[in-house]
Amino acid sequence: MSAVMREHLASLNTCRLIRPVVVAAGAGLLWKYLPKMTEELWYHALQFLERYRTNNPSSDIDDLYQFADSTGILDQHKQMLCKPFTENQVDMKIMYYELIKMLIDYERRNNP
């Protein structure tokens, strides 16, 4: 991972005030673009988040990536964030913030 990306993720992860803002902004953007997004991928991600939230012992981060994703978003997400997450450099909020951004970017590129 590049140093710039690491610094960016570290700054987002350490600022306690920005976390709720980031989550709210992501949810707002998601609400706006949800009808256009790859709904199955988003539904899978929400199901994983629910299992993770309830502290299900079988909710390993690799479960998030066990989905037949034809968009390539999950592969890109895994390459960028899986290792920092397992090393506790980023938290689940950042993981979902980045996933939401990737989904929206994909939809904007493919459904102008």
Side-chain angles (χ1 to χ4, degrees):
M1 181 184 306
S2 72
V4 173
M5 178 60 81
R6 236 180 281 125
E7 289 176 20
H8 172 68
L9 292 174
S11 67
L12 285 175
N13 197 29
T14 57
C15 183
R16 294 182 191 270
L17 295 177
I18 201 166
R19 286 181 187 170
V21 173
V22 167
V23 171
L29 287 171
L30 178 64
W31 184 259
K32 180 178 178 182
Y33 291 100
L34 184 60
K36 297 178 185 176
M37 280 201 286
T38 311
E39 294 177 17
E40 292 173 354
L41 173 56
W42 181 242
Y43 183 69
H44 168 75
L46 289 177
Q47 286 179 321
F48 172 80
L49 184 61
E50 182 63 21
R51 288 190 308 271
Y52 183 87
R53 183 188 67 81
T54 57
N55 293 323
N56 185 340
S58 65
S59 292
D60 185 31
I61 190 65
D62 290 328
D63 292 345
L64 174 62
Y65 303 112
Q66 301 301 317
F67 181 76
D69 174 32
S70 61
T71 66
I73 293 172
L74 281 181
D75 289 335
Q76 182 183 6
H77 188 269
K78 183 177 183 178
Q79 290 174 1
M80 188 171 83
L81 292 168
C82 188
K83 186 176 178 185
F85 178 78
T86 57
E87 294 173 350
N88 295 321
Q89 294 176 2
V90 297
D91 62 7
M92 189 56 72
K93 291 175 192 150
I94 299 301
M95 298 282 285
Y96 269 77
Y97 169 75
E98 292 296 331
L99 182 59
I100 290 168
K101 279 182 24 181
M102 289 174 165
L103 284 164
I104 291 171
D105 288 345
Y106 177 84
E107 286 298 322
R108 284 182 179 163
R109 282 192 315 270
N110 294 296
N111 298 313

